[in-house]
Amino acid sequence: MTPWHIRKSERVSLHDGDIRTPYQRDKARIMHAASFRRLQAKTQVVGVGISDFYRTRLTHSLEAAQIGTGIVAHLKSVKAQLSAQLGLDEYLIETICLGHDIGHPPFGHGGEVALHYMMSDFGGFEGNGQTFRILTNLESYSASDGMNLARRSLLGILKYPNFIDVLDRKRQYPEKKTKFSTVNTAHWIPPKGLFYCDKTTFDWVLSPLSAQDKEKFTSVLAHDCDRLKTQYKSVDCSIMELADDIAYAVHDLEDAVVMSLIDQMAYHKEVTMPLRELAIPWLSDNALRIEEQLFCGKTFPRKNAIGGLVNAFITAIDMHALNKFDELLLDINAYLPSQYAIALNTLKQFVFRHVIRKPEIQILEYKGQQMIMAMFEVFANEPQRLLPENTARRWHDAPSTAMEMRIIADYISGMTDEYANRVYANLFLPKSHRITDR
């Protein structure tokens, strides 16, 4: 057994004859976790409750996992020797893809910004950091180490291997408002990183690395004037990130087409024409046909176009060495060749401009932000009176004010969109007094 198969807590199993690999067990732990099930009722792009067709964070995670296993199969075919050296594993990539969004709060990225605003004096909030916290601390598969996943699974989850405190150290935030409706949330987008309270587990994940590798892996560079960002990720994480981007760009595009959130003329101008100019084998030659199939109003041609786009990106993925790390898992990354990367970003930006930034979607996001900030304020003011019993006990046992606030953030971020709506209604609407279920 390598150091990357080890779990932080000793595994106590009552399963005689269990011959599964560590990553098969990790996949099962994520799939059976309450935090994973809650993704079925959390916003991906379009707000939960608007339609029964669109993707949720759960279906997005399932699609990312399917794409991730396709990437591994492709890499094993075209880079067999290197794949074997790396020990690329379909179950490992499934685990990472299934778990990558598990920490995202209700109401999409709007909820994330709202929680960061409320937590900005107490270590901040960010969805990827909360994912790491859930996997390593909050889920109850072990006494104190969350799901107690194998070290390599946790390494693969680490998209941003440093702490918000470090990444935010030069940032000057505007003065906080007493009236939440006047908060400009664009000023409070969190840096992508971990919470300092989870440092012990983070250090354990990186403990097999040399001092030089650890320093390089956690190094940061300037980003957006006063913010810093991390630079590196493991090969498994690079595969997950590609799968996530493809699922977002292509499958969320399908949602937008079916729900008539975008029109063909805009797509033709902003996607089809740029794709044709990129001179990418198959993709550029078929850009017009893909457009026709997407907007023809029939399911089979649309599915054929979506499948063609996904396949074009998966089969273009390659691996290269960074020549910066002793540890092979860090020194090799999967990547899309530049023209394909431009094509994928073209699709991502189109979805962002024409779907996510749509006023109808932004209004839903704004409402969610207001609800989260209001609930946080109330719970922070009277926690033992208003928090559920289990959460109130954790709050009472917290060793510091920062950890008290972190526990409130844990509670709110774990809510589904509908549960958050119910809690908000119970707190603030005079005629609402439904009993919540946790």
Side-chain angles (χ1 to χ4, degrees):
M1 180 179 288
T2 75
W4 299 108
H5 287 152
I6 292 173
R7 302 172 191 276
K8 194 163 183 281
S9 296
E10 182 180 352
R11 180 173 175 259
V12 179
S13 176
L14 300 178
H15 307 147
D16 289 342
D18 186 353
I19 60 170
R20 294 176 299 169
T21 68
Y23 307 129
Q24 286 174 312
R25 291 195 290 271
D26 285 355
K27 176 189 169 184
R29 291 182 181 199
I30 286 180
M31 289 190 70
H32 293 287
S35 51
F36 179 73
R37 291 195 299 276
R38 290 189 191 110
L39 296 179
Q40 67 186 303
K42 288 193 178 187
T43 294
Q44 170 63 12
V45 172
V46 181
V48 170
I50 292 177
S51 165
D52 61 1
F53 172 82
Y54 61 83
R55 272 110 178 147
T56 63
R57 283 210 180 268
L58 179 65
T59 57
H60 166 76
S61 298
L62 292 170
E63 286 170 337
Q66 181 266 323
I67 292 169
T69 57
I71 294 172
V72 173
H74 164 70
L75 291 175
K76 283 185 172 181
S77 173
V78 298
K79 289 286 180 74
Q81 185 175 351
L82 181 56
S83 296
Q85 280 182 277
L86 290 163
L88 291 188
D89 185 286
E90 285 89 345
Y91 287 105
L92 170 62
I93 299 303
E94 271 194 292
T95 296
I96 296 167
C97 289
L98 290 172
H100 83 281
D101 264 356
I102 216 165
H104 280 273
F107 310 118
H109 288 289
E112 181 180 52
V113 173
L115 281 172
H116 183 60
Y117 177 81
M118 301 306 292
M119 287 293 295
S120 59
D121 296 327
F122 308 104
F125 183 90
E126 198 270 330
N128 296 282
Q130 189 68 13
T131 291
F132 187 77
R133 181 164 170 76
I134 288 171
L135 296 178
T136 63
N137 184 285
L138 300 181
E139 278 286 356
S140 54
Y141 279 72
S142 65
S144 59
D145 295 307
M147 291 193 199
N148 196 30
L149 302 182
R151 181 184 267 119
R152 182 164 172 177
S153 295
L154 294 175
L155 182 70
I157 289 285
L158 286 171
K159 288 177 71 173
Y160 309 104
N162 211 314
F163 303 103
I164 288 177
D165 304 64
V166 173
L167 299 166
D168 234 5
R169 65 188 176 205
K170 294 182 179 179
R171 191 171 182 186
Q172 297 296 316
Y173 286 106
E175 185 178 349
K176 281 194 168 182
K177 308 283 187 179
T178 56
K179 189 176 181 181
F180 294 139
S181 61
T182 63
V183 175
N184 185 342
T185 52
H187 296 152
W188 296 89
I189 296 171
K192 296 182 181 297
L194 305 174
F195 310 140
Y196 199 77
C197 58
D198 299 317
K199 183 179 185 301
T200 299
T201 305
F202 176 68
D203 289 343
W204 175 83
V205 173
L206 301 191
S207 59
L209 302 177
S210 67
Q212 294 85 347
D213 274 5
K214 193 180 300 183
E215 182 179 3
K216 174 67 73 173
F217 186 57
T218 58
S219 62
V220 298
L221 50 76
H223 177 62
D224 289 350
C225 298
D226 58 353
R227 278 193 297 175
L228 303 172
K229 68 175 183 178
T230 59
Q231 305 179 69
Y232 301 107
K233 54 185 62 69
S234 71
V235 63
D236 304 315
C237 188
S238 71
I239 293 171
M240 176 269 283
E241 192 165 44
L242 286 169
D244 185 26
D245 284 350
I246 294 169
Y248 166 76
V250 179
H251 290 304
D252 290 354
L253 171 68
E254 182 183 14
D255 276 4
V257 170
V258 173
M259 298 179 69
S260 300
L261 295 175
I262 56 177
D263 63 73
Q264 186 172 354
M265 186 179 298
Y267 181 90
H268 179 81
K269 179 182 178 182
E270 298 178 40
V271 178
T272 299
M273 296 311 294
L275 290 185
R276 292 186 71 189
E277 293 171 4
L278 286 173
I280 298 173
W282 187 85
L283 185 56
S284 296
D285 293 339
N286 285 276
L288 275 172
R289 186 175 172 219
I290 289 169
E291 177 189 323
E292 291 167 2
Q293 290 182 327
L294 282 174
F295 290 92
C296 72
K298 296 179 181 178
T299 301
F300 171 72
R302 187 185 70 248
K303 289 293 185 186
N304 191 48
I306 292 297
L309 283 169
V310 171
N311 182 71
F313 290 119
I314 287 178
T315 55
I317 291 171
D318 201 350
M319 291 189 290
H320 61 182
L322 304 178
N323 296 316
K324 293 183 177 181
F325 295 96
D326 297 326
E327 173 55 60
L328 195 64
L329 293 180
L330 303 185
D331 201 53
I332 304 296
N333 271 193
Y335 74 100
L336 269 174
S338 60
Q339 295 296 86
Y340 286 91
I342 292 170
L344 186 61
N345 190 58
T346 298
L347 287 167
K348 287 175 61 179
Q349 290 303 312
F350 181 78
V351 171
F352 180 79
R353 286 192 302 271
H354 291 274
V355 181
I356 293 174
R357 298 305 299 175
K358 238 179 168 34
E360 302 93 305
I361 303 299
Q362 287 302 301
I363 286 172
L364 292 172
E365 187 173 289
Y366 173 81
K367 285 170 63 178
Q369 288 174 330
Q370 295 298 306
M371 290 164 60
I372 283 177
M373 289 189 287
M375 287 190 293
F376 195 107
E377 182 180 54
V378 167
F379 290 137
N381 188 51
E382 296 202 57
Q384 293 187 295
R385 180 184 180 192
L386 298 174
L387 287 172
E389 288 183 14
N390 183 52
T391 307
R393 278 196 299 271
R394 291 180 59 229
W395 180 92
H396 181 268
D397 294 338
S400 65
T401 301
M403 284 308 299
E404 290 173 353
M405 298 301 106
R406 179 64 61 196
I407 285 159
I408 294 172
D410 290 340
Y411 173 54
I412 294 176
S413 69
M415 295 178 179
T416 64
D417 292 23
E418 176 55 30
Y419 185 81
N421 278 317
R422 292 208 311 271
V423 172
Y424 180 87
N426 283 349
L427 286 170
F428 296 107
L429 302 186
K431 293 185 180 181
S432 181
H433 40 74
R434 293 173 290 180
I435 302 298
T436 52
D437 55 4
R438 62 184 172 98

